[in-house]
Amino acid sequence: SAVISQKPSRDICQRGTSLTIQCQVDSQVTMMFWYRQQPGQSLTLIATANQGSEATYESGFVIDKFPISRPNLTFSTLTVSNMSPEDSSIYLCSVGEGVTNEAFFGQGTRLTVV
Amino acid sequence: GIQVEQSPPDLILQEGANSTLRCNFSDSVNNLQWFHQNPWGQLINLFYIPSGTKQNGRLSATTVATERYSLLYISSSQTTDSGVYFCAGDFTGGGNKLTFGTGTQLKVEL
């Protein structure tokens, strides 16, 4: 399976600031996805990162709060903007592989907003 | 919207015991996967199983797509099996946009 690297692995940030999370894949992939996992909860899809076009956001998530870049087929960033303590979560990127499009995940970014 | 419910929500086992985790989903699924989330938050792929049965060591999984459920069997449980187990499905057919289940928190004790 592809190797998916996320940076940073964890961070503690002040409210009102922004954090950009990077996701690097060691092979070209068509689709990349960003998920959020709030404390004690399941994972929720934030958006699909499309190469060469704007990201597609799920209901409840907006571009102003979670801007996403996808400059090429191996890299994407997610920015969490104007953070509040409610943004404290694990953020994970995911790619689909092979003919089955089986999903694999990066190791996650654990964000704490104080 | 799509509902993916897992049961039980919490489970405590003695080491060596067997268990069955269940995942019920409310619509036709294109891609059903099981994951284990370790204490550090990383998701480990267990099975890609849109239908049928697969086995990998002490773990096996069965999906009956027509009846909209999947089962994960853990045999001879070990303390390292502790963590949260998620099922997740792609219900859109457009790739692998996963809807995750509610999760089962498993603790295996000595």
Side-chain angles (χ1 to χ4, degrees):
Chain A
S1 62
V3 176
I4 307 167
S5 302
Q6 273 187 245
K7 288 194 291 188
S9 57
R10 59 175 59 231
D11 207 341
I12 301 173
C13 299
Q14 296 291 320
R15 67 177 66 202
T17 63
S18 298
L19 177 71
T20 296
I21 302 167
Q22 300 179 5
C23 181
Q24 178 77 53
V25 189
D26 68 346
S27 59
Q28 293 185 341
V29 294
T30 303
M31 307 185 84
M32 295 179 75
F33 304 89
W34 288 97
Y35 290 80
R36 180 178 73 180
Q37 185 179 26
Q38 295 177 297
Q41 303 296 313
S42 186
L43 282 78
T44 301
L45 180 65
I46 297 172
T48 303
N50 303 307
Q51 197 270 327
S53 64
E54 276 197 3
T56 305
Y57 289 84
E58 299 299 309
S59 176
F61 297 96
V62 295
I63 187 171
D64 290 347
K65 177 65 175 177
F66 298 102
I68 287 170
S69 78
R70 179 86 192 273
N72 56 53
L73 292 176
T74 64
F75 185 78
S76 178
T77 67
L78 169 74
T79 298
V80 186
S81 303
N82 188 25
M83 288 183 287
S84 67
E86 292 71 34
D87 294 318
S88 299
S89 297
I90 300 174
Y91 294 86
L92 301 102
C93 69
S94 171
V95 304
E97 289 194 26
V99 294
T100 62
N101 251 337
E102 181 175 355
F104 290 88
F105 286 79
Q107 77 272 29
T109 296
R110 188 179 295 268
L111 170 63
T112 302
V113 183
V114 297
Chain B
I2 303 293
Q3 303 292 322
V4 183
E5 300 288 336
Q6 290 184 241
S7 60
D10 299 279
L11 185 60
I12 300 175
L13 298 174
Q14 294 295 312
E15 194 172 48
N18 303 327
S19 62
T20 301
L21 281 55
R22 187 176 180 101
C23 171
N24 291 332
F25 39 94
S26 62
D27 205 344
S28 300
V29 69
N30 301 293
N31 165 7
L32 195 290
Q33 294 185 235
W34 283 95
F35 299 91
H36 175 212
Q37 188 169 40
N38 64 24
W40 297 271
Q42 187 165 9
L43 281 174
I44 308 300
N45 285 49
L46 297 178
F47 294 100
Y48 170 88
I49 187 163
S51 63
T53 297
K54 290 186 178 179
Q55 181 158 6
N56 184 4
R58 296 182 296 106
L59 303 181
S60 63
T62 295
T63 297
V64 184
T66 53
E67 298 186 19
R68 300 183 180 172
Y69 74 88
S70 184
L71 303 174
L72 177 69
Y73 306 94
I74 305 174
S75 65
S76 305
S77 58
Q78 301 174 358
T79 56
T80 52
D81 295 331
S82 297
V84 184
Y85 289 80
F86 289 107
C87 65
D90 170 29
F91 299 91
T92 67
N96 59 351
K97 294 171 60 174
L98 297 180
T99 300
F100 274 75
T102 48
T104 293
Q105 174 85 54
L106 173 64
K107 183 176 182 181
V108 181
E109 299 177 333
L110 291 172

